[in-house]
Amino acid sequence: MSEEANKKMYSADSIQALEGMEHVRMRPSMYIGDVGVRGLHHLVYEVVDNSIDEAMGGYCDSIQVIINEDNSITTKDNGRGIPVDLHKKEGVSALEVVMTKIGAGGKFDKDSYKVSGGLHGVGVSCVNALSSHLKATVYRDGKIWEQEYERGKTLYPVKSVGESKETGTVVTFMPDDTIFTQTIEYSYETLANRMRELSFLNKGVTITLTDKRHKDDKGEFISETFHSDEGLKEFIRFLDGTREPLIQSVISMEGEKNGIPVEVAMVYNTGYTENLHSYVNNINTHEGGTHLSGFRRGLTTTLKKYADNSGMLDKVKFEISGDDFREGLTAIVSVKVAEPQFEGQTKTKLGNREVTSAVSQAVSEMLTDYLEEHPDDAKQIVEKVKLAAQARHAAAKAREMVQRKNPMSVGGLPGKLSDCSEQDPTKCEVFLVEGDSAGGTAKQGRDRNFQAILPLRGKILNVEKAMQHKVFENEEIKNIYTALGVTIGTEEDSKALNLDKLRYHKVVIMCDADVDGSHIETLILTFFFRYMRELIEGGHVYIATPPLYLLKKGSKKRYAWNDKERDAIMKEMNGGASIQRYKGLGEMNAEQLWDTTMNPEFRTLRQVSIDNATESDRIFSMLMGDEVPPRREFIEKNAVYANIDV
Ligand code: 0RA
């Protein structure tokens, strides 16, 4: 096309394209979920998803992601490159269509597994619409092509800027700070976690993440390369690495069932928790769905059949349920579905019916073979299932105790709870406070209208290392259940948490700002993560932040939450102030605690959220599990980052 004709076509078409792009800018949350930290990172995932698509098609094996100094992002891949030829229907370069047309998706062929619901798969055009500036460079057909955009608007028609034998796509974008008003600062860790996950889910692809904002001690940019030859098999070892294995090998399969690509990997450990992770088209399906049901069904029927045939269950008097087969199980299920239907609260539950039997069959075949070939492992697994069933019966009894009214308490509430007078749960808060003495101060300092106090005795049980019935028998934990008004079992799901009668919409963990305090905080969070995940997901869990210092000069009093603040206040007061370092909540009087930590007008509460359930799972098992070395490594690694952040 001549330069002239190109320009003409371009202007005529741009009118229609802009409508969709404007809509993205007006309602960004509809496309990327939110305009906070999550949405900001989704922009990167969106572009990388396209590169991964190329990789899944066998056209690309290398992807680079760079966080530039100004927080703009550059992604490079060695795929086919976005097509640049004339798009017949639109009358402009295909590159421009891909970049400026919402819903064009980009792919003109049907055989790629593009995601139609969920948060990904909205197309690079969305990223373009939400960027103050974007530049696309395409290596294709022996040439280098380029086009730039501002807030989704094309700055000039696609042009050739050079020659090259390579193929691939380079995209550099700057998130629009008038859209992402909260922050446009990228988190290296968040991106690294996702790139690692993608490399496990798409074996063979090499993904490099580089942070040009920071250098290491050798003067080189922080950078990591993720590559997995074994895929899910390696992912499982990474996830379960800090748990003690029950069997040595990872059981895995990869194949296609009824036209649906299915990948499964699983391993048993000696622990008591069930860790199932599922993915559809590389997206973590937190709420599970038909693929996970298929996995459970395949696992239960196959193991049951094997156990029955082996005669190992002959003398077992109690009944064995599906749950018993999954104690100490860590598994990942990954499927690719052409037109996925996403359901559920967060649209992360797969609805496609046909997937259940595909996964179930795949798991049955995989497990049947494995059990036949590894009779010793099979025996270990069946023994564990028997123990699990036994423990479950004990747990059921203990759980009943949690629900039954405690005769020692008033109105069914724990005696240690100092309740508030307000009856509307949406207005109520409960503070879980470390120790009786701090509990006493909090009780005096609170606003009893809407704030309740539940003191916890010292270190609460480490649920990561305890069997379920021990958890439900634990006094402090029983108190938490009854105080919160939370029970187990809904009409739909006997194991789900029932939040209908939740008595406080804010549950605030308040611990000392020291090492012990943060350990207790982690113990409580571990309990919430394993046993009350829905409470976190509902946005009900918060962490209080007591100050570290009190500065006094004459009658003037100021609080500081970190060293930087302390120094700044010291300067403001022209020096000469006395500094008191709070070692614990107990050193504050009731008034100080109210002023700094409990009064909604001045306090800072940190809301707890689960950004990446798979990674959280690994971190909790590492922090609270048996093995010390990985824990030390984690703490040291994060200490390094903490330094860089300053
Ligand atoms: C549209 C069609 C094709 C590939 C792509 C878009 C594509 C998009 C991105 C975004 C980042 N990297 C990408 N790589 C490719 C198919 C190409 C063909 O049929 O030749």
Side-chain angles (χ1 to χ4, degrees), residues 187-481:
S187 151
Y188 178 85
E189 281 303 307
T190 302
L191 292 180
N193 285 336
R194 176 61 181 160
M195 296 312 132
R196 183 183 302 111
E197 187 177 43
L198 281 173
S199 76
F200 284 131
L201 292 167
N202 304 279
K203 64 181 172 196
V205 189
T206 302
I207 309 178
T208 305
L209 175 65
T210 305
D211 191 344
K212 293 201 171 168
R213 300 168 304 182
H214 301 298
K215 285 183 180 162
D216 61 17
D217 354 322
K218 288 193 204 111
E220 279 166 34
F221 292 129
I222 306 272
S223 183
E224 269 173 284
T225 297
F226 305 103
H227 176 98
S228 171
D229 278 324
E230 291 188 297
L232 294 196
K233 234 173 146 166
E234 256 174 285
F235 198 0
I236 280 278
R237 283 197 214 101
F238 175 75
L239 282 179
D240 222 47
T242 64
R243 298 186 177 105
E244 188 190 334
L246 180 77
I247 54 173
Q248 289 313 314
S249 34
V250 177
I251 309 173
S252 68
M253 68 78 59
E254 186 190 343
E256 207 172 290
K257 280 274 164 260
N258 311 335
I260 301 167
V262 180
E263 265 186 275
V264 183
M266 55 179 265
V267 75
Y268 277 97
N269 59 61
T270 58
Y272 309 111
T273 49
E274 166 189 328
N275 298 297
L276 301 185
H277 304 279
S278 63
Y279 293 86
V280 174
N281 303 349
N282 291 331
I283 293 173
N284 193 329
T285 33
H286 298 280
E287 297 173 281
T290 50
H291 52 332
L292 209 55
S293 309
F295 173 81
R296 291 203 184 95
R297 186 193 292 175
L299 181 87
T300 307
T301 50
T302 311
L303 278 179
K304 210 168 195 147
K305 202 159 116 197
Y306 182 88
D308 282 339
N309 289 343
S310 70
M312 285 176 69
L313 298 180
D314 287 356
K315 290 200 197 83
V316 174
K317 296 250 164 25
F318 39 82
E319 101 344 297
I320 293 186
S321 85
D323 296 348
D324 303 328
F325 292 97
R326 300 191 298 274
E327 211 181 85
L329 173 73
T330 298
I332 309 169
V333 180
S334 173
V335 295
K336 302 277 157 62
V337 181
E339 281 178 45
Q341 244 83 60
F342 288 111
E343 304 166 349
Q345 286 226 306
T346 53
K347 290 268 174 282
T348 56
K349 182 175 181 182
L350 184 67
N352 303 50
R353 299 269 136 229
E354 70 280 11
V355 180
T356 305
S357 62
V359 178
S360 165
Q361 275 179 45
V363 171
S364 288
E365 285 170 23
M366 161 186 93
L367 255 186
T368 306
D369 288 352
Y370 187 87
L371 297 171
E372 291 297 328
E373 285 162 24
H374 304 80
D376 290 346
D377 284 357
K379 199 171 158 208
Q380 293 264 30
I381 295 170
V382 177
E383 283 301 335
K384 177 148 175 90
V385 172
K386 269 160 69 176
L387 278 177
Q390 221 168 348
R392 183 173 49 83
H393 288 278
K397 280 206 196 106
R399 200 161 17 200
E400 268 173 42
M401 296 296 292
V402 170
Q403 264 119 332
R404 209 176 291 155
K405 282 185 182 159
N406 181 348
M408 303 290 288
S409 61
V410 190
L413 291 171
K416 286 167 62 170
L417 175 76
S418 305
D419 207 4
C420 53
S421 43
E422 174 63 55
Q423 297 287 317
D424 177 0
T426 62
K427 293 185 185 137
C428 294
E429 310 178 342
V430 62
F431 285 77
L432 308 185
V433 188
E434 159 193 3
D436 285 332
S437 92
T441 317
K443 194 176 154 186
Q444 283 170 25
R446 68 177 172 150
D447 181 336
R448 62 168 62 238
N449 281 320
F450 67 98
Q451 293 180 320
I453 308 293
L454 181 66
L456 298 174
R457 198 187 331 118
K459 306 224 156 164
I460 85 157
L461 182 73
N462 180 357
V463 302
E464 200 65 39
K465 288 204 256 179
M467 286 179 91
Q468 214 185 58
H469 68 99
K470 289 282 177 212
V471 174
F472 291 120
E473 278 164 9
N474 181 272
E475 237 10 83
E476 304 299 311
I477 286 174
K478 279 201 283 196
N479 282 344
I480 295 177
Y481 274 102

Side-chain angles (χ1 to χ4, degrees), residues 602-630:
F602 300 112
R603 71 184 179 193
T604 311
L605 292 185
R606 285 182 293 151
Q607 191 175 37
V608 179
S609 68
I610 303 172
D611 190 28
N612 178 331
T614 312
E615 183 63 7
S616 310
D617 174 59
R618 198 182 68 84
I619 301 265
F620 276 119
S621 82
M622 177 173 78
L623 288 178
M624 303 325 258
D626 291 310
E627 285 190 53
V628 178

Side-chain angles (χ1 to χ4, degrees), residues 46-54 59 75-77 79-83 94 98-99 105-109 124 140 168-171:
E46 189 54 52
V47 186
V48 172
D49 271 1
N50 283 273
S51 306
I52 291 280
D53 269 7
E54 287 290 291
Y59 305 107
T75 71
K76 301 183 190 182
D77 68 52
R80 287 169 294 179
I82 303 176
V98 168
M99 282 299 172
K107 291 297 157 91
F108 314 119
D109 48 353
V124 255
R140 197 177 160 114
T169 305
V170 182
V171 174

